[in-house]
Amino acid sequence: DTEVTQTPKHLVMGMTNKKSLKCEQHMGHRAMYWYKQKAKKPPELMFVYSYEKLSINESVPSRFSPECPNSSLLNLHLHALQPEDSALYLCASSQGLVGYTFGSGTRLTVV
Amino acid sequence: QKEVEQNSGPLSVPEGAIASLNCTYSDRGSQSFFWYRQYSGKSPELIMSIYSNGDKEDGRFTAQLNKASQYVSLLIRDSQPSDSATYLCAVNEGGSEKLVFGKGTKLTVNP
């Protein structure tokens, strides 16, 4: 299995809603990432988990809350988002400095 | 903030031609270099990785790395219309797991 699976593929949520994005990989990769990508912009790093521990938080607002329940799963909990948070949210995994693999992403719209 | 710069494009080449994409980076501690292809509305797909100076070839793609000049390039030979996409250069930051992306170059291959 060489894939990173993200669910849901599309999500529309109101500014008062709570939702979660999910990511799963079965490649044995020890690092997992959340990236945010706005239209016509490159991906921007949000969080890095290494060996299930949060190692990098790129000063992301607290309305985004990551969670790594085990070495294969990565969640991003969303609460009280703003319309400007609408974007493509990408999960990725890697083994060291090789093999960065992205999932297909979740297209999030905040209304 | 470490920077990755790409020629802004857009780049347009005829079918069958060689497309040349360039990238420079600011962090001399970087060890891993990647080229991703991203079709509109899709997630980035890893097409080449390179870790040492010189050339690396994979099918129609050749990546070139010159660490002294802090320069990475991607050549696409016999360009096809299906190669039309945005190409993202990505560099790991200082040996960390963090990947920094350039802004991307949009390539159009005309039939």
Side-chain angles (χ1 to χ4, degrees):
Chain A
D1 187 353
T2 58
E3 288 189 344
V4 175
T5 303
Q6 287 188 247
T7 57
K9 293 194 183 306
H10 301 275
L11 178 62
V12 179
M13 62 184 291
M15 290 187 284
T16 58
N17 289 161
K18 287 185 180 181
K19 296 286 185 182
S20 297
L21 309 185
K22 297 185 183 299
C23 174
E24 188 170 6
Q25 59 93 9
H26 294 290
M27 295 177 281
H29 287 174
R30 67 172 179 84
M32 296 185 75
Y33 313 79
W34 282 113
Y35 281 83
K36 173 183 177 179
Q37 187 176 25
K38 303 279 278 185
K40 300 189 187 300
K41 299 289 187 183
E44 294 181 4
L45 182 66
M46 301 175 72
F47 303 104
V48 180
Y49 273 83
S50 180
Y51 290 109
E52 302 172 43
K53 293 190 188 312
L54 183 64
S55 59
I56 297 177
N57 176 341
E58 290 288 286
S59 302
V60 178
S62 60
R63 58 186 184 270
F64 296 91
S65 176
E67 178 195 20
C68 188
N70 59 53
S71 60
S72 301
L73 293 173
L74 187 65
N75 299 322
L76 186 63
H77 302 298
L78 314 173
H79 174 55
L81 294 193
Q82 303 298 308
E84 58 264 30
D85 295 322
S86 299
L88 180 67
Y89 287 84
L90 295 162
C91 176
S93 69
S94 73
Q95 183 60 31
L97 300 180
V98 303
Y100 286 86
T101 303
F102 282 90
S104 57
T106 294
R107 178 76 59 188
L108 175 66
T109 303
V110 182
V111 298
Chain B
Q1 174 69 13
K2 307 297 190 290
E3 293 186 348
V4 176
E5 301 283 345
Q6 294 184 242
N7 41 346
S8 56
L11 177 65
S12 182
V13 300
E15 184 174 356
I18 295 175
S20 177
L21 304 162
N22 303 314
C23 173
T24 58
Y25 59 95
S26 64
D27 182 9
R28 286 194 172 275
S30 298
Q31 301 173 22
S32 304
F33 308 87
F34 307 92
W35 284 99
Y36 284 86
R37 177 176 64 199
Q38 188 171 27
Y39 294 112
S40 181
K42 302 294 185 181
S43 66
E45 174 192 6
L46 180 65
I47 54 172
M48 288 292 285
S49 56
I50 187 166
Y51 308 100
S52 56
N53 282 329
D55 295 359
K56 179 181 178 182
E57 186 175 317
D58 184 0
R60 297 186 294 111
F61 299 97
T62 298
Q64 300 173 317
L65 174 61
N66 183 325
K67 289 186 178 180
S69 300
Q70 295 175 248
Y71 175 87
V72 192
S73 67
L74 179 70
L75 298 178
I76 306 175
R77 291 182 300 281
D78 188 24
S79 295
Q80 301 298 308
S82 58
D83 295 326
S84 298
T86 296
Y87 288 80
L88 296 161
C89 175
V91 178
N92 84 293
E93 185 178 277
S96 76
E97 293 155 324
K98 180 178 178 178
L99 208 54
V100 180
F101 285 85
K103 292 184 178 180
T105 299
K106 185 173 182 179
L107 171 67
T108 300
V109 180
N110 301 301

